[in-house]
Amino acid sequence: MATTRLTQARIDGLRPGRTVRDIRDADLKGFGIRLYPTGRRCFFIHSQHEGRRVWKIVGDAASLSLEDARARARFILAAGRNGTSATSDHILFEDVADEVFRRYARNWKPGTLKVNRGYLARQIMPWFKARPIAAITAVDVREWFASLHATPVAADRSAPVLSVIMAQAEAYGYRPEGSNPCKGIRRYRRKGRERFLSEEEVRLLGSVLRRHEEQSPVHVAIIRLLLLTGCRKREIVTLRWREYRDGHLHLEDSKTGPRTVWLSSAARRILDRQPRSSPWVFPGTRTGGPIDVEAVGKFWRRLRPETGLQGVRLHDLRHSYASAAVMTGENVLTVGRLLGHHDPGTTLKYTHLGDDATALAAETIGTVLARASS
């Protein structure tokens, strides 16, 4: 943040840029002027007293002179030192959202950042634009969330984005601490898309893959690895040889960060059969990079009619891996570690038991209880 001795001439000479810009006054600590991309200018105070941030708009530079703004700022700062807190009454939601996406972006992967910008533009901004950030309440957020009932997936995925904006607004001093109005929002209940393959479906898929192996060996190998490892599609498609060592995959950048994938002997055999002609395990034919992830998806969609697995996604192979692990007796914590989950609650969404396994469990439990109660 730039610091200079503010004069009226310097303020008049300020030109807006692409982002919000703050200039602090060298003469009065905590006082400054904020310049918005629209050209709007506001005097502000921003200081800290006994661990509490104080942020307040002093006034609009179009209607308040520098001399009067300084005098008002001195009064507000003195009030803060006497224990009076203040929050922004005029900072608009869109200005804070812009700042959050600039400063917080490093916490999101590029793909996530792009998706979140879409939710901000389509689901969030039309409702909250032009509202003072400090005036947004839990009632406002509940009304917004209810307005998205027709698109529950978009609602559920945009709510965390709004929550991040509100949490960062607290961190930047625009809202009181502990005031996030997104707390307590309950996501929409919707029928899950999870699907897992039965043993018979896995056998059928295997026979179909064998028929295509000679013509499409790379695509077949990728699909088999997805089933045998529970990895996400992009983790296998973008796999590098340097990440395969000591019988494990040491992924450098998965969805949840670096992680180790334990491999079965069947998965290792597939990898060991691949030629090491590129840094990539599955190189592309023209780009010098990995195989195109969309090409793998297209191959899978062409394959599905032969397998009878219409509507089954490649991601459902991950569900099938988790379900197979549970049905062989592995606990949720172990399955979560195999899948790279940090939260056991996430793993529960991926674990399904087939009808036969469920019926067997019911019979076993019933037998034990009947014997004990007879």
Side-chain angles (χ1 to χ4, degrees), residues 1-5 22-26:
M1 187 182 298
T3 300
T4 187
R5 185 178 183 279
D22 288 347
I23 301 125
R24 288 186 180 273
D25 184 23

Side-chain angles (χ1 to χ4, degrees), residues 168-336:
Q168 292 304 115
E170 292 181 28
Y172 302 158
Y174 305 142
R175 290 181 60 93
E177 294 181 10
S179 67
N180 191 334
C182 298
K183 290 180 179 178
I185 290 293
R186 300 183 64 178
R187 295 191 175 192
Y188 285 98
R189 293 177 179 269
R190 60 184 190 273
K191 186 177 180 181
R193 298 178 63 194
E194 288 82 3
R195 170 76 155 84
F196 74 100
L197 307 187
S198 66
E199 289 187 33
E200 179 58 35
E201 287 174 326
V202 171
R203 283 193 289 269
L204 178 59
L205 174 60
S207 65
V208 172
L209 289 175
R210 285 192 293 274
R211 291 203 298 267
H212 288 266
E213 191 161 20
E214 183 175 351
Q215 185 176 1
S216 305
V218 172
H219 296 88
V220 168
I222 289 172
I223 290 173
R224 283 181 172 156
L225 279 175
L226 291 174
L227 182 62
L228 290 171
T229 64
C231 284
R232 300 174 180 87
K233 177 171 59 177
R234 193 168 293 277
E235 292 171 345
I236 294 299
V237 169
T238 62
L239 185 64
R240 298 173 185 263
W241 281 116
R242 70 187 185 209
E243 296 175 299
Y244 174 43
R245 59 186 184 275
D246 305 322
H248 306 313
L249 299 183
H250 301 273
L251 302 181
E252 298 172 0
D253 186 25
S254 72
K255 183 178 179 180
T256 55
R259 75 179 183 97
T260 299
V261 178
W262 277 259
L263 299 176
S264 64
S265 57
R268 291 195 298 271
R269 283 196 296 271
I270 293 173
L271 287 167
D272 292 339
R273 286 199 297 264
Q274 304 309 308
R276 295 186 178 237
S277 56
S278 164
W280 307 96
V281 176
F282 301 108
T285 55
R286 290 177 294 181
T287 64
I291 189 172
D292 181 17
V293 67
E294 290 301 322
V296 178
K298 289 179 181 178
F299 175 77
W300 173 251
R301 290 190 288 274
R302 290 199 305 270
L303 205 69
R304 283 188 305 192
E306 298 181 48
T307 63
L309 301 177
Q310 296 288 8
V312 175
R313 305 162 301 162
L314 277 175
H315 193 72
D316 293 323
L317 300 182
R318 180 170 166 85
H319 300 159
S320 302
Y321 178 85
S323 297
V326 172
M327 286 189 284
T328 54
E330 300 299 336
N331 61 52
V332 170
L333 292 177
T334 300
V335 176

Side-chain angles (χ1 to χ4, degrees), residues 342-354:
H342 297 310
D343 181 3
T346 304
T347 309
L348 291 174
K349 297 190 301 182
Y350 287 80
T351 56
H352 308 271
L353 293 175

